[in-house]
Amino acid sequence: MLFTPLLRLAVYTVVFSFLLGGRSVVWGMESDAGVGLMIFAGLIVFTVFSETLGSAPRLIWSNRSYVKHIPFPIEILPVAMVGASLVQAFFGAGLLMGMTLFFMNGLSVNCLYLPLVFLPLVFFTLGLSWFFSTIGVYWQDINNITQSFIQFMLFLSAIVYPLDRFISVVPQSFVALFRVNPMMTIVEDMRRILLKAMAPDWQWYGITLAGTFLCMLVGFAVFMNAKRNFSDIV
């Protein structure tokens, strides 16, 4: 269950901490293990996003028997998909906590904020899953675009670099534009509560929570409006 993110963790740690010398310059840390934990925290969040969004365009076609032959509330299919990814994420978070205790000598009480950090992630992935699963019914080639979008998001979501580094090198006039990406806030808050002994950044958390909730509502509305036609297409 955790093999893929752990394999990615090993590769990214070697590349971005050791081979490219980013441990001290980019991350401002003296330990490769610390860099690895920071990257792992980002991968836990990103894996939920990438797995659900990567499967969304084929979701209705893969479950077309539910659409054509039996009465079934197909809108819960994306919910089940997100739920399955979250189970893996919570296992990953538990492993991260254990590694933090071992390598960083303790956890803060702020780790109790973990469910709050996952809430905008749930809203965001659900909204996108409903939207892209709808598009996938009408345009199956959207899957190729979706995979490219996922790779694009990997490098724009502060997974393999810290948010502070991003803010320091990007012109300030563009920072707010890029921070519209909710994954940046979610990843940063994950690191803050589990690895930095800090509370979430409440200002950006509130903005992200509102934005992702709106994303969920829009995705659900698009799906529910289109699903009446699914049985005529799949």
Side-chain angles (χ1 to χ4, degrees):
M1 180 179 291
L2 295 174
F3 176 76
T4 299
L6 286 175
L7 180 61
R8 289 178 182 172
L9 167 65
V11 172
Y12 291 153
T13 302
V14 169
V15 172
F16 292 99
S17 177
F18 181 72
L19 294 180
L20 298 182
R23 180 180 61 191
S24 57
V25 176
V26 176
W27 291 91
M29 305 180 72
E30 297 299 325
S31 168
D32 288 324
V35 173
L37 294 180
M38 289 288 185
I39 294 175
F40 189 39
L43 286 176
I44 291 170
V45 172
F46 191 77
T47 298
V48 176
F49 169 82
S50 62
E51 288 189 352
T52 54
L53 187 58
S55 301
R58 303 184 303 272
L59 185 63
I60 302 302
W61 284 97
S62 299
N63 295 275
R64 55 185 174 271
S65 60
Y66 292 114
V67 179
K68 298 185 74 71
H69 303 301
I70 57 176
F72 185 81
I74 57 174
E75 59 271 15
I76 72 170
L77 291 174
V79 178
M81 184 170 58
V82 172
S85 295
L86 282 175
V87 170
Q88 179 175 334
F90 276 106
F91 275 109
L95 178 59
L96 178 61
M97 290 180 186
M99 295 168 70
T100 302
L101 284 170
F102 183 80
F103 290 108
M104 303 181 72
N105 301 317
L107 283 170
S108 165
V109 69
N110 288 308
C111 66
L112 296 176
Y113 288 122
L114 184 61
L116 289 181
V117 172
F118 276 106
L119 189 57
L121 179 63
V122 171
F123 291 162
F124 188 50
T125 52
L126 263 180
L128 291 182
S129 295
W130 275 317
F131 181 78
F132 278 94
S133 62
T134 301
I135 299 299
V137 171
Y138 298 95
W139 184 27
Q140 295 187 54
D141 287 341
I142 190 65
N143 184 61
N144 297 326
I145 297 175
T146 302
Q147 298 304 320
S148 298
F149 175 67
I150 290 171
Q151 294 301 313
F152 180 73
M153 286 289 287
L154 174 65
F155 292 101
L156 282 182
S157 300
I159 307 298
V160 294
Y161 54 85
L163 181 59
D164 291 345
R165 176 69 175 177
F166 174 85
I167 293 175
S168 68
V169 299
V170 173
Q172 291 301 305
S173 57
F174 290 99
V175 169
L177 176 64
F178 283 103
R179 284 298 304 267
V180 170
N181 173 12
M183 295 297 292
M184 277 194 166
T185 298
I186 298 167
V187 169
E188 177 63 14
D189 283 340
M190 184 81 163
R191 290 169 175 160
R192 286 170 67 96
I193 67 170
L194 294 183
L195 301 173
K196 299 181 181 180
M198 300 169 66
D201 183 335
W202 293 117
Q203 179 180 358
W204 275 106
Y205 178 83
I207 295 171
T208 301
L209 188 67
T212 54
F213 184 71
L214 178 61
C215 173
M216 182 183 68
L217 293 181
V218 171
F220 183 71
V222 169
F223 186 93
M224 295 302 291
N225 184 64
K227 80 168 191 174
R228 69 190 71 174
N229 301 318
F230 288 173
S231 60
D232 297 328
I233 300 172
V234 300

